[in-house]
Amino acid sequence: MIVYLNGSFPPKDEATISPDDRGFLFGDGIYEVLHVYDGHVFRTESHWRRLRSGLEKIRLAGCEHLDWSSICNELVRQNKLDQGEATIYLQITRGPAPRKHAFPVNPTPTIYGFAAPYSSLTAKRLSGYRAVTIPDERWLRCDIKSISLLGNVLANQAAADAGVDESILIRDGRATEGSHSTFAAVFDGVIWTAPLGNLILPSITREVVAEICRAREWPVREEFIEEGKLIHADELMVWSTTTEVMPVVELNGKPIGNGQPGPVAGRLHEEYARVIEQEKGVLV
Ligand code: PLP
């Protein structure tokens, strides 16, 4: 595998990062995950907007000159990923420095990226995800796509321990998001999803779904869903760059609706797939 590291494209086993790196020592950095369809990197401008905003939020300068799309396209090309699906992971940290909490004086960011083949979840979408609810014990800046993911890791492990696919996080009696996905529910034909703010990640998939709903005039309510209401939803689903639109058919061992993937999730995914197809022809 060829990776990207600080301006070069070395083989992965030749890419080395200092043990003093603040990403390693403090989790001081942010990341992005992008989906590649037949060589087309999906929704790059939205990802770059969130990446730039994340760098500003963590006050990390020094990446303004980088052409993120070129890095991604080169990763796709060098790893021969121009057919089928792949994902790209990009991480920017505050770089190596003696271990002190406050920022180093002149940080040199570490920028790392890799691309890997991805198996689409088409079969899984037919059966749907099973999920559990667990307390949202993460910090209060979930709008930052921080590499400090311990809260998300523990939440996802709780799902793995329960033998299910995803955990739905509950803060103050209301659903925020999944361990690594946006969460949504359908009540009487209306799609409910948590409002943007510090308690959820501004998801790119959520943005695409919102565009689809606006264009089709499908009603959306950006409001937190109370935990007690979840089991009475007509449908539940999670959204993310990798999983796209995924129905959730069971919560805490109980079926949602008739326990089968619902029609709203199905239609949303059809439209989402259409957007992917449309944009494939467009240059990034
Ligand atoms: N929320 C969290 C906590 C996530 O980790 C992710 C994706 O990794 C999402 C939401 C979905 O974001 P996106 O649609 O940008 O992939």
Side-chain angles (χ1 to χ4, degrees):
M1 180 195 279
I2 299 296
V3 301
Y4 174 85
L5 182 63
N6 298 330
S8 310
F9 289 90
K12 187 179 178 186
D13 53 9
E14 289 173 21
T16 55
I17 294 170
S18 165
D20 283 337
D21 197 280
R22 290 176 63 95
F24 179 55
L25 294 178
F26 291 111
D28 184 357
I30 59 169
Y31 74 106
E32 274 298 324
V33 176
L34 299 97
H35 204 139
V36 187
Y37 300 93
D38 292 328
H40 172 74
V41 190
F42 188 61
R43 283 289 159 132
T44 46
E45 282 317 313
S46 299
H47 284 278
W48 307 150
R49 200 179 319 118
R50 181 171 66 187
L51 183 62
R52 283 193 298 267
S53 153
L55 290 169
E56 271 169 31
K57 286 173 181 174
I58 69 164
R59 296 164 57 194
L60 179 51
C63 299
E64 297 72 15
H65 63 289
L66 284 157
D67 182 344
W68 301 107
S69 288
S70 297
I71 294 171
C72 288
N73 290 336
E74 196 57 18
L75 281 171
V76 168
R77 196 182 67 78
Q78 295 219 24
N79 290 287
K80 301 184 173 52
L81 292 169
D82 49 349
Q83 297 296 317
E85 294 185 34
T87 57
I88 295 176
Y89 177 88
L90 290 174
Q91 170 168 322
I92 302 112
T93 76
R94 211 177 304 273
R99 190 184 179 283
K100 290 204 172 71
H101 284 64
F103 299 168
V105 179
N106 284 314
T108 309
T110 299
I111 300 150
Y112 175 61
F114 66 86
Y118 181 72
S119 299
S120 91
L121 297 176
T122 309
K124 189 73 192 170
R125 220 178 311 283
L126 296 176
S127 54
Y129 268 10
R130 295 187 301 140
V132 287
T133 49
I134 70 151
D136 188 346
E137 293 174 337
R138 301 171 303 159
W139 70 332
L140 291 170
R141 290 306 306 275
C142 299
D143 54 312
I144 298 175
K145 202 162 169 63
S146 164
I147 59 169
S148 306
L149 285 172
L150 201 46
N152 307 64
V153 166
L154 291 173
N156 196 252
Q157 186 57 37
D161 291 345
V164 302
D165 306 286
E166 179 59 307
S167 44
I168 307 306
L169 307 180
I170 307 292
R171 197 191 285 267
D172 298 330
R174 304 177 310 176
T176 51
E177 54 186 343
S179 75
H180 60 310
S181 56
T182 299
F183 175 64
V186 181
F187 294 97
D188 297 324
V190 181
I191 299 167
W192 289 56
T193 193
L196 294 179
N198 65 313
L199 299 183
I200 66 161
L201 185 76
S203 146
I204 308 306
T205 316
R206 181 185 186 281
E207 191 179 295
V208 177
V209 167
E211 282 173 25
I212 291 168
C213 292
R214 259 196 307 277
R216 297 266 169 275
E217 299 186 354
W218 293 342
V220 176
R221 249 173 106 158
E222 297 187 45
E223 222 173 284
F224 288 106
I225 309 155
E226 283 168 31
E227 183 179 10
K229 280 186 163 179
L230 294 177
I231 199 65
H232 305 297
D234 302 320
E235 294 181 40
L236 299 180
M237 57 187 118
V238 289
W239 305 332
S240 84
T241 291
T242 48
T243 51
E244 303 169 352
V245 175
M246 178 64 73
V248 174
V249 298
E250 182 192 295
L251 188 67
N252 299 329
K254 297 200 182 95
I256 299 301
N258 63 4
Q260 299 295 317
V264 176
R267 281 200 296 275
L268 261 185
H269 191 262
E270 264 173 44
E271 294 295 327
Y272 193 85
R274 209 190 307 274
V275 174
I276 293 166
E277 285 304 314
Q278 272 166 3
E279 294 190 8
K280 257 195 217 170
V282 178
L283 289 175
V284 287

